């Protein structure tokens, strides 16, 4: 198969970690007989420096023309004083909007080899955590009307949380389909005892559950979910939720693994085009030192193969190679343990690539 990938390395450690993911993708292409072609474009602070804007129209067009987008990270102290309309993060929101990326998939996986890194007790994390949060990304209170007015001599603020049935249905379908490809279990997170949007959410999810009889479906309130993620995280397979609940729960879940450098993510549209990136930022404190952990970005590339290119064998090969590197005792500084060998970012990329080849 031939696939066009737009690569947006971005700022800080972005270029170093993305280079490792491309190295691994090249290895997959060679082994499985595919051709991946890459178009590089600027995003974030480096784009502000070179072009005066966080993303140019041309760069946006290369994203739209691609089969998929691989992103490093954007931002850093150098651009903190930029005007709000040209801050590096503006580019991310623009890409999500222009590409219609409404579904954010965030797996939380605690590799058994790294179980010491989890802040939870061993008896709770068991043989490792493996859950996935599907978060609605373009609706809800973040995209509703926001107003602050004066009433009876004091300021009063209102944020509106709109959701339509079609918005809920399209994220619901992504979640059910994803659950089918994983462990076959889906929990829908809402606050249906209080919110109208949640009652519509639950009603729509129940209608879909009738269609997806092979998926074991349950409802769970968001406050209980926050508790259960700490008390018994291994009970979950796929969780689906609206934008703000998903924002908060996915950060909570990511901490269960104790290592932000390991965590991949995918943002999907209604077609096959998606954007894939690690969940961490540009880590300016460790940039250009060849010490960043590239595994979150490499695992994001595996998600690209699975979700945008329908290449499950190839995605499995990357995930298995990452597992083998950890089994063999190699660690970057952020996940270093006694008795293991510390390696840099580029060496970690080589080790994963070798195990695929
Ligand atoms: P961060 O995720 O960049 O870093 C937090 C801590 O984790 C740092 O100590 C860093 O060294 C470490 N870390 C992060 N990724 C790592 C990796 N792969 N390997 C080893 N250690 C790693 O968060 P921050 O410091 O709050 O933000 C830095 C910049 O990144 C800010 O400008 C912020 O706005 C931006 N940011 C961008 C994105 C994105 O591009 N999607 C997301 C979050 C933050």
């Amino acid at each position: 198969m031939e696939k066009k990938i737009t690569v947006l390395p971005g700022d800080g450690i972005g270029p170093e970690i993305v280079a490792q993911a491309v190295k691994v993708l090249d290895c997959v292409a060679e082994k499985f007989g595919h051709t991946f072609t890459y178009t590089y474009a600027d995003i974030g602070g480096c784009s502000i420096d070179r072009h005066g804007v966080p993303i140019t129209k041309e760069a946006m067009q290369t994203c739209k023309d691609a089969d998929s987008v691989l992103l490093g990270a954007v931002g850093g102290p150098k651009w903190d004083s930029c005007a709000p309309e040209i801050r590096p993060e503006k580019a991310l929101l623009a890409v999500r909007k222009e590409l219609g990326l409404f579904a954010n998939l965030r797996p939380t996986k605690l590799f058994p080899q790294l179980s010491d890194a989890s802040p939870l007790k061993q008896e709770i994390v068991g043989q490792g955590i493996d859950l996935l949060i599907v978060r609605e990304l373009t609706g809800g209170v973040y995209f509703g009307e926001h107003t602050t007015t004066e009433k009876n001599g004091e300021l009063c603020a209102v944020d509106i949380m709109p959701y339509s049935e079609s918005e809920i249905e399209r994220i619901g379908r992504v979640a059910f389909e994803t659950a089918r490809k994983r462990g076959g279990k889906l929990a829908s997170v809402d606050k249906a005892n209080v919110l109208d949007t949640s009652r519509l959410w639950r009603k729509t999810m129940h209608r879909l559950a009738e269609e997806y009889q092979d998926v074991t479906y349950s409802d769970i309130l968001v406050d209980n979910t926050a508790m259960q993620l700490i008390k018994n995280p291994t009970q979950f397979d796929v969780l689906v939720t609206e934008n703000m609940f998903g924002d908060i729960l996915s950060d909570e879940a990511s901490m269960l693994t104790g290592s932000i450098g390991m965590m991949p993510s995918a943002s999907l549209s209604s077609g096959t085009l998606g954007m894939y990136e690690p969940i961490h930022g540009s880590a300016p404190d460790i940039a250009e030192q060849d010490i960043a952990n590239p595994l979150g970005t490499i695992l994001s590339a595996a998600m690209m193969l699975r979700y945008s290119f329908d290449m499950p064998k190839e995605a499995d090969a990357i995930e298995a190679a990452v597992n083998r590197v950890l089994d063999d005792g190699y660690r970057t500084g952020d996940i270093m343990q006694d008795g293991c060998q510390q390696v840099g970012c580029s060496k970690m990329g080589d080790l994963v690539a070798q195990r695929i080849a």
Side-chain angles (χ1 to χ4, degrees):
M1 255 193 249
E2 290 187 13
K3 295 288 178 192
K4 289 183 292 181
I5 302 170
T6 290
V7 183
L8 306 172
D11 307 316
I13 59 170
E16 304 162 48
I17 52 175
V18 159
Q20 308 318 312
V22 169
K23 193 184 276 176
V24 168
L25 282 170
D26 280 340
C27 211
V28 167
E30 191 167 336
K31 175 157 176 155
F32 291 88
H34 303 302
T35 306
F36 299 146
T37 50
Y38 309 100
T39 306
Y40 284 80
D42 291 330
I43 190 167
C46 62
S47 177
I48 296 172
D49 288 350
R50 288 192 199 119
H51 316 287
V53 286
I55 187 162
T56 61
K57 285 196 180 94
E58 296 74 27
M60 185 68 84
Q61 194 57 47
T62 64
C63 295
K64 288 182 184 167
D65 293 341
D67 294 309
S68 204
V69 179
L70 179 67
L71 173 79
V74 299
K78 185 178 173 194
W79 303 281
D80 280 351
S81 54
C82 286
E85 59 282 6
I86 63 151
R87 281 183 64 95
E89 299 77 13
K90 277 275 169 192
L92 292 183
L93 297 179
V95 175
R96 281 179 196 161
K97 190 163 171 245
E98 294 259 333
L99 269 55
L101 304 174
F102 67 91
N104 185 223
L105 270 53
R106 273 206 189 189
T108 293
K109 189 169 167 107
L110 175 62
F111 289 84
Q113 303 93 324
L114 303 178
S115 62
D116 285 351
S118 175
L120 299 186
K121 289 184 189 141
Q122 285 301 308
E123 61 261 34
I124 293 176
V125 298
Q127 277 310 296
I129 298 165
D130 187 5
L131 61 92
L132 185 139
I133 295 182
V134 179
R135 166 190 169 197
E136 202 289 325
L137 203 57
T138 54
V141 70
Y142 293 172
F143 288 83
E145 204 180 318
H146 310 285
T147 49
T148 305
T149 49
E150 204 178 311
K151 245 188 202 168
N152 305 326
E154 62 174 348
L155 288 177
C156 180
V158 177
D159 299 296
I160 296 178
M161 183 178 191
Y163 263 113
S164 69
E165 223 175 332
S166 56
E167 280 176 304
I168 301 170
E169 177 166 344
R170 70 178 180 172
I171 189 74
R173 288 199 184 278
V174 170
F176 276 100
E177 295 290 339
T178 307
R180 256 186 187 164
K181 289 184 189 164
R182 288 178 43 105
K185 254 172 73 178
L186 175 66
S188 169
V189 179
D190 63 33
K191 190 71 184 168
N193 51 344
V194 178
L195 300 175
D196 258 33
T197 43
S198 280
R199 284 190 274 272
L200 181 61
W201 182 277
R202 195 175 276 208
K203 192 172 158 206
T204 311
M205 290 293 166
H206 284 195
R207 176 162 59 72
L208 291 178
E210 294 289 313
E211 264 181 61
Y212 292 87
Q213 301 266 348
D214 52 323
V215 174
T216 306
Y217 174 87
S218 60
D219 302 303
I220 180 165
L221 292 173
V222 62
D223 34 2
N224 188 20
T225 311
M227 225 163 60
Q228 295 298 329
L229 277 172
I230 303 296
K231 196 173 159 214
N232 182 12
T234 57
Q235 71 184 284
F236 293 118
D237 177 18
V238 180
L239 294 146
V240 61
T241 191
E242 65 87 40
N243 203 343
M244 183 171 64
F245 297 162
D247 191 6
I248 298 166
L249 291 177
S250 60
D251 268 25
E252 183 191 354
S254 73
M255 278 300 98
L256 301 179
T257 71
S259 55
I260 198 169
M262 297 293 299
M263 307 280 294
S265 81
S267 299
L268 308 178
S269 66
S270 50
T272 53
L273 178 59
M275 181 162 80
Y276 299 84
E277 58 180 312
I279 71 158
H280 58 72
S282 60
D285 53 330
I286 57 165
E288 292 174 37
Q289 296 171 45
D290 192 35
I291 57 172
N293 185 346
L295 294 177
T297 319
I298 290 172
L299 291 167
S300 301
M303 291 187 84
M304 174 190 291
L305 300 179
R306 192 179 302 284
Y307 294 105
S308 278
F309 299 168
D310 197 22
M311 296 180 181
K313 277 201 315 284
E314 291 83 339
D316 287 348
I318 295 181
E319 287 162 5
V322 168
N323 247 308
R324 282 212 297 283
V325 168
L326 295 174
D327 278 343
D328 294 345
Y330 294 104
R331 305 281 189 272
T332 43
D334 58 313
I335 52 172
M336 187 55 192
Q337 294 165 298
D338 282 348
C340 291
Q341 186 179 339
Q342 189 163 337
V343 295
C345 179
S346 177
K347 176 76 180 169
M348 187 55 105
D350 291 342
L351 291 165
V352 176
Q354 280 161 14
R355 278 152 186 79
I356 291 168

